[in-house]
Amino acid sequence: MFMIWKSILKRKTTWVLVVIIPILFGLVIYPTIKDTVSQVSVPITVVDQTDQEITDELLNEIDEEPFQVSRMDTLDLRLLSTGEAEAIFVFNDNMEANILSGQTDEIITWYRTENSYVDGLFKEKLASALMSRVVRAEAASVVTQYKPEADWEEVYEYGLRYFEPRPIFEMKFEHISGVEDRSATVDESGDHLLFILLWLYISMLIGYFTQFLYEWRADGVLERLQMVQRSGRFYLTWLIGVFGITYSIFLMATQLMEIPVVKWAYLIPFGTVLIYFIFFEIVKKKWTMYAWMISYSVASFVIFLLADWKIIESDWMYLFIPTWLLV
Amino acid sequence: MLQLNSVSYQKGKSDLIQSVSATVQPGDRLTIFGPNGAGKSTLMRLMAGIIQPSSGTITYDDSLSGKNAIGYIPQQLALFENLTVKEHLRFYQKMIGSKTNPFMNEMIETLQLKDFWNKRIDELSGGMKRKVNLTVGMIQQPKIVFLDEPFVGVDLAAKHDMLNWLNRLNSRGVTIVFVTHDWQVIHELADKMWLMENGDLLHEATVDEVVHDHIELPDTSSALQKMISFHRY
Ligand SMILES: Nc1ncnc2c1ncn2[C@@H]1O[C@H](COP(=O)(O)OP(=O)(O)OP(=O)(O)O)[C@@H](O)[C@H]1O
Ligand SMILES: [Mg+2]
């Protein structure tokens, strides 16, 4: 029975699909997706009702990779629940004046949710940018108080040389709770995109192997096998081979991409192979089967992403096999 | 040894076989004769047990109850495109669970398969493929064999060898049922004829009776009638 696999493996297409494509994926597509995902991963919203100059200054100073900062002039907390903002920082009016006079209470309000993880880093950067200004202002004030002839501006510019920075301001921390749970964290949603691509690939691969069953049925090979022996063993050989290949790829890929696979998720390749096999049994025409399976795969892709974003949360979504990852 | 009792076969709404009753006797050399689409292949597949009748029954006697008693050589070439002749034979030999197979060696010899032993099926000529198709279908040394147009594209010398060999098998007791559109093959390989048209088994007769106009068909202008008249040419 190994012969049927010999026949399959003798085809170049098989090697392209099973070996070349995963390698290409690993070398080209995977790093690209990983990068893009981490680049756009932390959306931060800054609200400044009076559009102050100091806001520009501060934001320019902390304009760095993982954050995607958008500026608004009104506070909209819904952004937190929809996930459009990981956190919202509200810059109060007269911020510059407050900083220069050493008035550091409540100059910024910080809104976040239970699911905000990396916004703390943004807070740190913002804090250090603010702190250097506060420290220099205080230094200048102290110096000019005792040495009236000193130039305030000059001392302010060089203030950092005389004073060790210390945490002298605190931000008011306001925790917004009761916000919809977005368990898709920054890293995970990127992994999930990779996962659904992996599943689409596996699904296509199984479709390719199913094509042989159709071919052999059309050629009469299956009938012939039925004559000399039960075709059961033939199907078993096919199934074992397909399970072997899909599970190897699935387990290796999820390991490499560090996608956590738990309980039900282990059944994903199994379920996908089974669905193709059932289709083979009930759908007589190859192209009809492909039409169904392409529709199913596309639907699964969409449903998986919607389920991942918690837009769909009903049980029927588990009809679409990749969602088993989310159980 | 094989009996058809009012066997019908439907596919969708159309009746491909309409209430056929007939018997195949041990050692028969029988040909099923009729125009394209008459239902010859369908009837052979029913008798070989590949498809089941929609109504009626087919009964086999004890000699055909064994696992490998029935051989079937399909009209299509049911072969793995990219496996070699050798791989095919080894594969099917394993399937039937035999190690040494003098019968298979005899076939290999007769059909001279060694000439293209290590070639892939898609590298063979049409006639060569037919030979492999025949060998694979009979590898289990059946008691009765159904051959669906086995000689299409086979050259005259090879056809001669194959016919001789099948007749030799028959003299050893193997029952032969076949379909062909080739009168020469009928003359050399058949004693009995089943005349079929439109899914009906119209007549059972000996080849001699058919050739000497001892039968009467209901429709004298039919395609079947014309085909019969070609035996002289
Ligand atoms: N899978 C199928 N589905 C529906 N109809 C079919 C199918 N296979 C065959 N037929 C129809 O059944 C009838 C008999 O077909 P069959 O293949 O038995 O004819 P045949 O006598 O062997 O013809 P030929 O000499 O061309 O081989 C034909 O009319 C054909 O159109
Ligand atoms: Mg036919």
Side-chain angles (χ1 to χ4, degrees), chain A residues 1 3-4 6-7 10-11 216 218-221 223-229, chain B residues 45 50 68 70 74 76 78-80 82-83 87 91-92 95-96 133 136-137:
Chain A
M1 269 302 173
M3 208 59 94
I4 68 166
K6 190 165 182 182
S7 168
K10 266 191 180 182
R11 301 196 196 205
W216 291 329
D219 289 351
V221 171
E223 280 185 354
R224 167 163 266 166
L225 291 171
Q226 202 184 322
M227 288 301 300
V228 277
Q229 209 178 42
Chain B
R45 283 150 56 84
I50 290 167
N68 293 326
I70 298 175
Q76 321 141 278
L79 302 167
F80 296 96
N82 58 4
L83 294 186
E87 284 166 339
F91 174 57
Y92 283 100
M95 293 272 290
I96 58 166
N133 195 38
V136 166

Side-chain angles (χ1 to χ4, degrees), chain B residues 103 138 164-174 176:
Chain B
F103 183 77
M138 296 188 61
N164 274 347
W165 184 67
L166 286 169
N167 275 324
R168 228 185 313 151
L169 286 185
N170 179 251
S171 64
R172 288 190 226 155
V174 176
I176 289 169

Side-chain angles (χ1 to χ4, degrees), chain B residues 1 27 63-64 66 68-71 140-145 173-176:
Chain B
M1 75 183 322
S63 66
L64 294 186
N68 293 326
I70 298 175
Q140 79 275 36
Q141 196 168 359
K143 302 239 169 35
I144 182 168
V145 60
V174 176
T175 307
I176 289 169

